[in-house]
Structures are given as C-alpha cells and as structure tokens.
Amino acid sequence: MKKSLLALAVSGAFAVSAHAQSSVTLYGLIDTGIVYTNNQTGHSAWQMATSSTQNTVFGLKGSEDLGGGLHAVFKLEQGFNLNNGTQAFSGDGFGSQAWVGLQSDPYGTVTFGRQFDVVNDLLGPLSAESNTWGGNIAAHPFENDNLAADSVVVNNTVKYVSPTIAGITGEAMYSFSNAAGGFANNRVYGFSVGYSQGPVNLAAGYLQFNNPGGGVLGTNPNGAIAVKDGSANFIAERQRIWGAGGNYTFGPATVGLVWSHTQIDNMASVISLGTGNYMPLGGTLRLDNFEVNAKYALTPALTLSAAYTYTDGAYSDGATNATPGWNTVMLQTDYSLSKRTDVYLEGVYQNVHGAPAGSVLGDAMINTLSPSSTSTQVAVTVGIRHAF
C-alpha cells in the first residue's frame, strides 16, 4: 500500500512538472469601427467595418519543453468579420495561421503549415501598413507587396527562422505547390534578414510567387497562393517582391523609410480586397513603393502617426503602355484606454494618375474598400481595438 502511494505521488510530481513545462494560450484581437468613404463605385458610404487596421482574430498557441533547449511549438489562428461573424478567409477553419514546428534555442525554429511570408515577418513591421498606427487601410495600392497585416497567407509552407545573434535574424521559406506533375505550379520561396539594436531597426528581403492563384491558365488555383479563400492579390504567371527599410527611435518619436518593388508578369487579373471580385487586367505591371512614416507619443496613452507613400508604376499589355502613379497619405491619432484597449481616428487619401483609360488601375482603391469611380478616394474611420 505504501509503495502504491509512493508511486502515485512520484507520478503526480512528474505530471505537475510536465504541465509546468508546457503552455497553451487562447488569445485574440478585435478591431471594429465606422468608416466613411467619399466614393465607392460612385457613391459615398457609411459602413460598419472590421479589421480596418489590425486583423480581427482568435487563436491558440502553445509550446512544450522537450529538454535540451528544444521546444515543440504551434499556432492555430482564425480570422473573422466581427460585423457579421463570417470567416475572413472563406471556407478555412484556421485561415489566418495554422502551423506546427520545432524551436531550438541555439539553432532556430522550423515550422510547417499555413503561414505569413518572410518579407512580411521582418520588413512588414517597419511599414505603417503592418502596424496599429496605420494598418490594413493604409496599405500600398492593391496590397502589392504583402506588407500589411491582412497580407497574403501562404499554404504548404516550410519556414526557418534563425536565432538572433548580435541583433541579426534571418528567415527562409519554401511553399509547395502540392500539384502532382507541377512542382513549380503555384509555389512560393523567399528569404529575409533583419537587424535590431537599440533605436535602430533594419530589414530586407525577396519573395517570389510562381503561378500564384494557378496563374494565367488556372491549373492549380489552390496551391501555395489560394484563390478560393481570397488569399491571392494577383493571378499571374509570376510575382516578385524586393524590399528594404529601416526606422530610428529617439525619445517618443520613431521615423522610418521603406522601399518595395513588385514585378507582376503575364497577369490575368487583380483582386479588389474590398469587393472580393476579380477584375480582368492582362499584361505586366511594375510597382515601386516609396514610404516615409512617423509616429510620436504625445503622452504614454496618446499617439499621433502619419505616412506618405508614392507608388511609381509601369504597365504594358503590348498594345498599351502607361506609367501610373499613386499618392497615398495616412494620418491617425490613437488613445489607449488600457494596456489591452484603445480607440483611434484614422484618415486615408489616395489619388492615382497616368493610368490606362478605362483600366482598373485608374480608379483609386484604398485597401479593404471597394474602388472609387474616379481617380481619388478618401476614407475616415473611427474604431476600437481590444486584445485578449
């Protein structure tokens, strides 16, 4: 009897120890508000919106200590639309993120599943469009460089993240097409590197999509970049993204510069995130985004931020050549009610010029909204965010 009690006590102690070395956390973020737009498809609009700045999500994340500096890690995250309860990625149970992997303290982390890309991971946080002080509504035209918080999420991804050494972190990824006989048909690969020491943050990276959304022929629409759930921004033969940026913090102020270059070859269509519809657009499109951003903490609770992006474009479909340009301006003020709840007022202005007549490129289209019927669009949103 005593031996049995001793064995039970020992096994209980091991169970408590194992439990203490593992963790599972339920978390989430809710972002909702009212948006006024001066022109959406020819009409002004007052709308209740969700995820204007940050993605509205809930999820589970966890870690298990395997010993020797090795951990099993996972994340399951679902995005949703607060105003009507629908899925942000239609038909996906965990469309925002779904991955599992191994983390080694000395050697880095390898993860497998549906994940954000490596350029979004390291360069995104240096852009206003990836942060609470700007966010999704402040994205570059057509969200062409995947830097916003609502960016493309990539299927079938193997990602490696290095440990941080002397402030330097590197990432690399490969996303399989999962198509029999079509290894390169709708695949993704890329790499990035970041540096963070004291007030200085720098990052750069490269990303390539082959036949995103199945490409012009649509032969593998749900490979690495899926069509059915709205993950794709462009349907094309190839999309390549280069980018670099940095910011510097001094006292309550942070200023930053970001450049990104997007090259889209042999397009079939571009997607309007606001409407979810595909708009036919053939040819090739090159976009260079030049962003300057700044934020300033007036008090620990009150922050002002601004960003200006000039997007220089070049378009050709053989018969038509054009050099469209976009001016996008964002202003925001944010007030923290607590560590987990804040309210914000944000305005975004976009104007496009030089686009081909009658082309979707000629209509201003602020991210998350339906396109304007003219070359100019203005949106103002007042919202509340709560993290848990």
Side-chain angles (χ1 to χ4, degrees):
M1 181 64 176
K2 291 182 179 179
K3 290 182 178 179
S4 298
L5 290 174
L6 179 60
L8 182 62
V10 171
S11 64
F14 276 115
V16 171
S17 176
H19 177 74
Q21 294 172 355
S22 301
S23 66
V24 176
T25 302
L26 172 66
Y27 69 94
L29 186 144
I30 297 170
D31 177 356
T32 191
I34 304 299
V35 180
Y36 168 77
T37 314
N38 73 321
N39 187 321
Q40 287 192 56
T41 62
H43 305 278
S44 62
W46 288 92
Q47 299 168 298
M48 181 179 177
T50 186
S51 303
S52 291
T53 59
Q54 299 300 106
N55 294 350
T56 295
V57 300
F58 71 91
L60 290 168
K61 59 182 178 180
S63 173
E64 180 188 11
D65 189 347
L66 302 176
L70 187 65
H71 311 266
V73 291
F74 78 91
K75 181 176 282 190
L76 300 172
E77 184 177 283
Q78 169 67 306
F80 63 98
N81 301 307
L82 188 74
N83 51 319
N84 57 19
T86 57
Q87 297 169 318
F89 293 92
S90 178
D92 292 350
F94 292 100
S96 293
Q97 297 185 72
W99 51 259
V100 67
L102 292 173
Q103 175 186 321
S104 167
D105 294 341
Y107 300 114
T109 303
V110 179
T111 51
F112 306 84
R114 180 175 169 89
Q115 306 177 63
F116 288 108
D117 68 69
V118 293
V119 175
N120 182 273
D121 285 349
L122 296 183
L123 183 59
L126 303 181
S127 171
E129 60 183 300
S130 184
N131 286 277
T132 57
W133 45 277
N136 298 328
I137 199 170
H140 302 154
F142 308 109
E143 226 288 84
N144 66 84
D145 49 12
N146 297 350
L147 296 184
D150 70 344
S151 183
V152 171
V153 189
V154 189
N155 294 330
N156 316 321
T157 297
V158 180
K159 181 192 290 187
Y160 170 74
V161 180
S162 76
T164 300
I165 301 173
I168 298 173
T169 304
E171 295 193 14
M173 66 179 288
Y174 187 90
S175 305
F176 292 85
S177 71
N178 275 15
F183 186 77
N185 187 2
N186 198 352
R187 69 172 176 178
V188 175
Y189 57 88
F191 58 89
S192 63
V193 62
Y195 172 81
S196 181
Q197 284 279 50
V200 178
N201 295 281
L202 305 169
Y206 174 76
L207 193 64
Q208 179 162 324
F209 303 165
N210 292 112
N211 292 321
V216 175
L217 299 179
T219 51
N220 185 24
N222 297 309
I225 305 294
V227 170
K228 69 177 181 180
D229 64 6
S231 293
N233 285 337
F234 296 92
I235 309 300
E237 179 181 342
R238 182 173 61 178
Q239 180 178 352
R240 291 172 289 172
I241 300 169
W242 295 261
N247 66 30
Y248 186 83
T249 299
F250 48 99
T254 299
V255 294
L257 295 171
V258 174
W259 163 78
S260 64
H261 171 90
T262 301
Q263 178 77 40
I264 304 132
D265 300 320
N266 194 14
M267 288 185 297
S269 57
V270 59
I271 298 172
S272 167
L273 179 62
T275 62
N277 295 327
Y278 297 90
M279 298 176 289
L281 182 69
T284 62
L285 179 64
R286 184 266 299 160
L287 298 166
D288 280 283
N289 306 285
F290 302 92
E291 176 189 326
V292 56
N293 59 62
K295 67 173 181 176
Y296 185 85
L298 290 172
T299 71
L302 181 62
T303 300
L304 301 178
S305 60
Y308 168 73
T309 301
Y310 180 71
T311 302
D312 178 52
Y315 171 77
S316 176
D317 64 0
T320 301
N321 297 292
T323 55
W326 289 260
N327 293 283
T328 305
V329 179
M330 179 280 298
L331 296 172
Q332 187 201 85
T333 180
D334 179 270
Y335 185 78
S336 296
L337 301 173
S338 71
K339 289 184 177 180
R340 297 190 294 130
T341 304
D342 65 304
V343 291
Y344 61 87
L345 174 66
E346 181 169 345
V348 178
Y349 165 87
Q350 187 180 99
N351 172 266
V352 57
H353 60 273
S359 164
V360 64
L361 298 179
D363 296 329
M365 187 175 67
I366 293 171
N367 197 41
T368 75
L369 302 175
S370 300
S372 173
S373 62
T374 71
S375 61
T376 299
Q377 190 173 54
V378 177
V380 178
T381 177
V382 56
I384 183 171
R385 282 183 295 240
H386 176 74
F388 61 89

